[in-house]
């Protein structure tokens, strides 16, 4: 509402909010707030709306944090503590067979800060950045807040819900595109790009003079023997953004990282110094231990795999005919048109009447999202079983 007033040119003044702050709310968080309110009234709610692991941070991380609390905690280098940067660099050799210098690793306050730094370091106000739709809503909202222009490209089953070199050529005809951002596996779909499709997209982006930003936050969370390829396997010029939030179960610790080419290291360092000085020392010290918690984290992934199998068999039985390919992450993005044509109303009724919280699609796709909801399967298995029972009852299929 405030934003509307601003756009009309009225209401300007020292007490008004800026036009750049008029970004969309995140509906998933609104659903969470309503679900929490209902829980406060004593209702039982199955949470399938939020994209965060139900499991706590691994034991090794908690032990490292306890130990760190005994010593002084202070500011660190803006680019991050050296041992963590070195360990992250080693992760690239171990996981992808790619040599990354610790000097190109930058520790960030979650991948969210990584996007801000990448956008500020790589782009100037008014430049256009290509994004696939459906996609994670914060990309477009951060870009808008920074006076950058998101160019959202609707993807379809024909290209397996991925951007293609042809898409990039097509949107470039309307004016230069300064960068392209993709996530594989993606949110809300869980869909992964085939390795050769990813490689072709990176090569085309670079040929067209675009920064390629690769959100690799769901790496590690892939199923059925798949492997997520890093953009760095194709190009040392890619900007990679990643996080301890998802695979490593550390959402609340606000720690992530990015890998940037040499020419962006100092610009990002200057921005980080001024924007937030450094990432919390405690979280950095704890995150160092996360790489040694493989066994525990794989057990968490096994629960997601079990949840994914349950939903992938149960949802079609209940009448959901189209579910996007969920190769990784912990989501299923399902078409609700067999039941309704407005996913916001559908989600509201499901929450109010059945106590199941899901996220409506318009968060992820303002054009076609009214036909979809996102189920997060990151919770405990028993909760998923209960959620499917309630959904069946709600749809009159039990
Ligand atoms: C695709 C994607 N990227 C980035 C993020 C942000 O995560 P964080 O800032 O916790 O690293 C999320 C969170 O849901 C996400 O789904």
């Amino acid at each position: 509402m405030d934003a509307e007033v601003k756009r009309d040119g009225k209401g300007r003044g020292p007490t008004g909010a800026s036009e750049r702050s008029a970004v969309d709310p995140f509906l998933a968080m609104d659903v969470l707030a309503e679900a929490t309110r209902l829980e406060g009234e004593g209702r039982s709610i199955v949470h399938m709306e939020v994209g965060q692991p139900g499991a706590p941070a691994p034991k090794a991380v908690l032990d490292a944090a306890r130990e760190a609390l005994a010593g002084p905690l202070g500011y660190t280098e803006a680019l991050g503590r050296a041992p963590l940067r070195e360990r992250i660099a080693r992760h690239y050799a171990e996981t992808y067979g790619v040599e990354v210098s610790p000097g190109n690793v930058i520790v960030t306050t979650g991948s969210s800060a990584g996007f801000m730094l990448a956008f500020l370091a790589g782009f100037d106000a008014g430049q256009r950045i290509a994004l696939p739709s459906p996609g994670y809503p914060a990309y477009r909202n951060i870009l808008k807040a920074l006076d950058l222009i998101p160019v959202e490209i609707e993807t379809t089953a024909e290209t397996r819900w991925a951007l293609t070199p042809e898409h990039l050529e097509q949107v470039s005809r309307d004016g230069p595109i300064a960068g392209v951002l993709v996530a594989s596996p993606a949110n809300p779909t869980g869909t992964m790009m085939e390795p050769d499709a990813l490689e072709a997209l990176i090569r085309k982006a670079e040929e067209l003079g675009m920064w390629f930003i690769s959100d690799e936050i769901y790496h590690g969370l892939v199923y059925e023997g798949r492997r997520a390829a890093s953009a760095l396997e194709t190009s040392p010029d890619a900007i990679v953004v990643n996080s301890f939030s998802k695979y490593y179960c550390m959402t609340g610790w606000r720690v992530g990282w990015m890998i940037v080419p040499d020419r962006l290291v100092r610009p990002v360092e200057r921005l980080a110094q001024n924007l937030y000085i450094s990432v919390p020392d405690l979280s950095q010290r704890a995150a160092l231990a996360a790489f040694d918690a493989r066994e525990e984290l794989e057990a968490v992934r096994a629960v997601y795999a079990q949840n994914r199998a349950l939903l992938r068999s149960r949802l079609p039985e209940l009448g959901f005919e189209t579910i996007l390919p969920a190769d990784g992450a912990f989501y299923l993005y399902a078409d609700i048109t067999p039941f309704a044509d407005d996913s916001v109303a559908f989600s509201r009724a499901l929450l109010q009447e059945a106590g199941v919280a899901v996220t409506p699609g318009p968060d992820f796709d303002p054009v076609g999202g009214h036909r979809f909801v996102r189920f997060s399967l990151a919770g405990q298995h028993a909760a998923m079983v209960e959620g499917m029972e309630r959904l069946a009852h709600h749809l009159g299929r039990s």
Side-chain angles (χ1 to χ4, degrees):
M1 187 62 189
D2 289 349
E4 307 272 306
V5 174
K6 284 253 159 231
R7 290 217 177 89
D8 289 349
K10 295 174 207 151
R12 274 203 177 279
T15 54
S18 68
E19 235 177 273
R20 69 168 76 212
S21 66
V23 295
D24 299 327
F26 195 176
L27 284 175
M29 301 318 280
D30 288 353
V31 175
L32 176 62
E34 177 61 8
T36 309
R37 193 188 66 75
L38 291 173
E39 276 176 325
E41 288 176 0
R43 292 275 307 274
S44 138
I45 304 295
V46 177
H47 289 278
M48 302 181 82
E49 78 284 37
V50 273
Q52 78 171 337
K59 186 177 173 304
V61 167
L62 299 176
D63 288 346
R66 270 185 215 104
E67 202 176 308
L69 278 174
L73 293 169
Y75 292 138
T76 73
E77 303 89 316
L79 293 177
R81 294 184 72 244
L84 182 57
R85 294 174 73 199
E86 282 159 19
R87 185 63 190 88
I88 292 169
R90 179 146 72 84
H91 172 68
Y92 281 82
E94 291 169 356
T95 310
Y96 307 103
V98 172
E99 282 307 311
V100 168
S101 157
N104 296 87
V105 178
I106 298 167
V107 183
T108 57
T109 46
S111 68
S112 300
F115 298 123
M116 281 189 273
L117 293 168
F119 297 164
L120 285 167
F123 308 123
D124 281 308
Q127 288 191 309
R128 303 187 329 133
I129 322 302
L131 306 170
S133 188
Y136 178 55
Y139 304 145
R140 104 172 83 90
N141 291 331
I142 299 172
L143 288 168
K144 282 190 197 162
L146 297 177
D147 277 334
L148 293 157
I149 304 169
V151 177
E152 290 179 89
I153 303 170
E154 284 292 308
T155 58
T156 60
E158 216 172 297
T159 64
R160 208 168 180 272
W161 309 95
L163 287 189
T164 63
E166 293 70 36
H167 280 130
L168 295 186
E169 279 176 347
Q170 216 176 330
V171 288
S172 296
R173 285 189 208 116
D174 302 331
I177 298 282
V180 51
L181 194 173
V182 300
S184 171
N187 178 7
T189 59
T191 306
M192 256 168 68
M193 289 183 73
E194 302 289 352
D196 49 349
L198 179 65
E199 186 180 334
L201 189 69
I202 296 170
R203 297 218 185 282
K204 178 55 73 179
E206 294 190 346
E207 183 192 313
L208 294 170
M210 302 174 190
W211 282 113
F212 190 87
I213 304 175
S214 182
D215 180 355
E216 301 185 356
I217 190 169
Y218 290 106
H219 278 212
L221 294 176
V222 294
Y223 308 101
E224 295 170 10
R226 289 187 181 81
R227 189 185 86 85
S230 171
L232 293 174
E233 293 172 42
T234 299
S235 170
D237 267 346
I239 299 172
V240 166
V241 179
N242 206 326
S243 178
F244 289 96
S245 288
K246 308 292 174 166
Y247 178 73
Y248 301 94
C249 301
M250 294 178 66
T251 46
W253 300 72
R254 309 310 302 134
V255 56
W257 71 86
M258 51 197 304
I259 314 289
V260 303
D262 289 342
R263 60 193 182 286
L264 286 189
V265 173
R266 185 63 182 150
V268 170
E269 182 174 29
R270 288 192 305 258
L271 287 162
Q273 287 168 341
N274 286 284
L275 286 173
Y276 55 76
I277 304 184
S278 69
V279 175
D281 194 0
L282 179 64
S283 298
Q284 293 191 61
R285 289 171 189 270
L288 184 57
F291 292 103
D292 301 323
R294 181 73 53 191
E295 209 176 305
E296 206 177 323
L297 295 170
E298 283 300 301
V300 175
R301 188 177 64 101
V303 175
Y304 302 151
Q306 205 187 357
N307 294 348
R308 175 177 173 271
L310 169 74
L311 266 69
R312 283 188 2 139
S313 78
R314 199 70 189 107
L315 290 175
E317 282 169 11
L318 297 181
F320 289 86
E321 289 159 12
T322 307
I323 300 171
L324 270 59
D327 310 311
F330 38 48
Y331 306 112
L332 289 189
Y333 197 55
D335 187 335
I336 57 142
T337 46
F339 315 104
D341 54 13
D342 172 359
S343 58
V344 174
F346 177 86
S347 306
R348 196 177 297 130
L350 185 60
L351 176 59
Q352 297 293 342
E353 293 162 24
V356 178
V358 299
T359 304
D363 253 355
F364 312 103
D365 177 1
V367 178
H370 61 281
R371 293 194 288 115
F372 288 87
V373 298
R374 185 192 75 176
F375 292 90
S376 169
L377 46 83
Q380 300 303 322
H381 190 64
M384 301 296 114
V385 173
E386 173 70 19
M388 288 301 102
E389 272 173 24
R390 291 186 188 191
L391 179 64
H393 186 68
H394 182 69
L395 297 174
R397 311 273 167 127
S398 52

